[in-house]
Amino acid sequence: MRLFRLTLATIFQRKAWILCYFAVLVLPFALPMISSATEKPILTQPARILAAWNTLWVCSLLWGLYTASREGETNAKTGIGEYFLTTGVSATRQLFEIWLAVFCFVAPLVVITGLICQFGAAPADPVERQMWGVLNAQYAALFLLVIAPLLALATAIASRFGGITGFASTLGVTLYGLYGVGYLDQMLKLEANPVLRGLWTVSPHYRLADLTQRLYFKTGALPTDAFWMMIVYFAGILAVYSGVSRLCFRTKLNA
């Protein structure tokens, strides 16, 4: 795991991760204080929920994908990947270790966000509080299943096409899955189109993993069957992206 330790130390030394942890820890409490929630205390908890999870999404997509892309590009351009290849560390192992190093910084952000929502925005009613904990756990699990393959994909694309391409393409796919698919669905409701229907079918429906509104309106935890269906769906996307990432990933520049 030498490449993992090297990547972990490199990310740690750059210290950009501190801004993400600061934002995730502070903004959920600071932003409601400068919003309309100060006039209506009952809005403080919903505002904290929005601030907490939206901050996590922004930090993970911007900093997480950028860091993964940068490390993938650096591994290929500087000769680090080629060096580890000569020591017996395969390309698959290198991709995994780089991904794991970045994931080790992102995963705690998810835990922190879940804890803030659980203890800083939970309903007072005991029954609602119990369901609240289940919903937070479901959200955290789905979020990790979404972000994990995206980090690997950004790393792989950047190693072949450069950091900017890796970051921009992966971010574009994520934003499309979060928002673009919804607009496409609205278009299909207005007018049937087999081409758009096919595109909608194969699109990554990341919006299903965004349970912020469910927390905001306190609609309760996802039914068990629906939750496990979503787990299987995103696990399938993880498997596909893992294969694509391995095909794209390279350890050295072409001659």
Side-chain angles (χ1 to χ4, degrees):
M1 299 292 281
R2 289 179 297 165
L3 181 57
F4 165 74
R5 293 195 295 269
L6 176 62
T7 307
L8 198 71
T10 301
I11 298 173
F12 185 83
Q13 288 298 322
R14 289 187 182 132
K15 296 183 173 60
W17 58 272
I18 295 177
L19 296 177
C20 294
Y21 278 78
F22 177 82
V24 168
L25 284 167
V26 175
L27 290 185
F29 300 96
L31 290 180
M33 300 302 295
I34 59 176
S35 68
S36 59
T38 55
E39 301 174 3
K40 296 181 179 180
I42 195 174
L43 297 177
T44 300
Q45 289 182 340
R48 186 169 296 157
I49 294 166
L50 292 176
W53 284 102
N54 287 337
T55 300
L56 175 65
W57 278 104
V58 171
C59 289
S60 299
L61 295 183
L62 294 183
W63 178 83
L65 295 182
Y66 172 78
T67 302
S69 300
R70 184 173 181 178
E71 295 305 320
E73 181 183 34
T74 300
N75 190 67
K77 278 190 173 182
T78 60
I80 295 175
E82 190 172 6
Y83 164 74
F84 278 104
L85 202 61
T86 62
T87 63
V89 181
S90 66
T92 303
R93 181 63 179 267
Q94 289 187 39
L95 174 61
F96 171 75
E97 292 191 20
I98 295 173
W99 168 83
L100 183 60
V102 181
F103 188 75
C104 283
F105 282 90
V106 175
L109 295 176
V110 183
V111 176
I112 293 171
T113 301
L115 291 176
I116 289 174
C117 284
Q118 181 62 34
F119 296 103
D125 183 84
V127 177
E128 289 185 347
R129 182 182 290 270
Q130 183 178 3
M131 296 182 65
W132 188 265
V134 175
L135 181 56
N136 270 301
Q138 290 176 339
Y139 198 168
L142 292 174
F143 185 91
L144 289 173
L145 267 178
V146 167
I147 198 65
L150 290 170
L151 295 176
L153 188 63
T155 303
I157 294 176
S159 71
R160 180 172 293 273
F161 301 108
I164 295 177
T165 303
F167 171 71
S169 60
T170 311
L171 180 63
V173 168
T174 311
L175 294 179
Y176 169 70
L178 285 171
Y179 306 107
V181 173
Y183 290 112
L184 189 60
D185 188 37
Q186 293 299 322
M187 292 174 59
L188 289 171
K189 289 179 180 178
L190 296 175
E191 182 180 358
N193 186 304
V195 176
L196 293 181
R197 173 60 64 180
L199 177 61
W200 181 87
T201 302
V202 300
S203 297
H205 294 259
Y206 291 136
R207 63 195 180 110
L208 298 176
D210 186 357
L211 305 183
T212 308
Q213 294 300 315
R214 199 173 185 90
L215 283 168
Y216 185 86
F217 292 108
K218 296 193 296 186
T219 53
L222 289 170
T224 303
D225 292 343
F227 172 69
W228 283 110
M229 286 181 63
M230 292 171 67
I231 289 290
V232 171
Y233 173 74
F234 288 115
I237 293 180
L238 185 150
V240 172
Y241 281 12
S242 296
V244 173
S245 298
R246 178 60 191 89
L247 290 174
C248 288
F249 183 75
R250 66 181 182 185
T251 59
K252 59 182 179 180
L253 294 173
N254 290 332

